[in-house]
Amino acid sequence: MLKCLAPLKNNLRDRTSQRLIGLLLVLGPGLAFAELPTMEAPSRGEGSGLIDTIKNYAYDGGILLGLLIALLTFLGVAWHSLTVFADVQNQRKTWKDLGAVVGIGALLVVIIIWFLTKAAAIL
């Protein structure tokens, strides 16, 4: 190919790609036939009016918050147990310390789950 035609060929390729990208940007949203999902009803039903439905969604949010608290408690106990285990491996603490941390941590998780269950009944 002639050297003088090389810039013309690159320019034509760039213009063609720009036109193709522009066409896809214009027609692209029309090609997507996605629909938004329908909203699920709350676990206690929709209720008789808007206020009841909002209360039922708030109940579900409270239950979700309780699960999050229980998860964070479990992760905190697990993290602390791992740090004590590392201290046992480095001979800074004894196995009795690890047993105490795991035992008290398990009891703490059980008590928190029990409290959250009682709180869910109050909601």
Side-chain angles (χ1 to χ4, degrees):
M1 179 171 263
L2 298 172
K3 289 184 181 181
C4 64
L5 294 179
L8 183 63
K9 181 180 176 187
N10 288 337
N11 193 13
L12 183 62
R13 186 179 306 149
D14 289 341
R15 264 198 240 150
T16 305
S17 65
Q18 286 175 356
R19 286 183 182 153
L20 182 61
I21 289 172
L23 184 66
L24 285 174
L25 287 175
V26 170
L27 296 178
L31 298 175
F33 296 111
E35 293 182 10
L36 291 175
T38 58
M39 195 165 173
E40 261 189 59
S43 62
R44 296 198 304 187
E46 294 208 12
S48 60
L50 182 63
I51 299 297
D52 287 338
T53 305
I54 291 172
K55 285 180 184 177
N56 292 340
Y57 277 120
Y59 172 79
D60 288 347
I63 297 296
L64 186 63
L65 181 67
L67 287 172
L68 183 65
I69 291 170
L71 171 73
L72 291 175
T73 304
F74 177 78
L75 290 176
V77 167
W79 181 265
H80 186 64
S81 298
L82 285 174
T83 57
V84 171
F85 178 73
D87 288 343
V88 168
Q89 294 297 317
N90 292 330
Q91 297 177 351
R92 282 186 251 155
K93 292 192 177 185
T94 63
W95 286 100
K96 282 201 287 189
D97 295 331
L98 179 63
V101 165
V102 169
I104 298 297
L107 183 65
L108 178 68
V109 169
V110 168
I111 289 172
I112 286 179
I113 290 173
W114 180 72
F115 277 139
L116 290 172
T117 305
K118 292 293 182 182
I122 293 171
L123 285 177

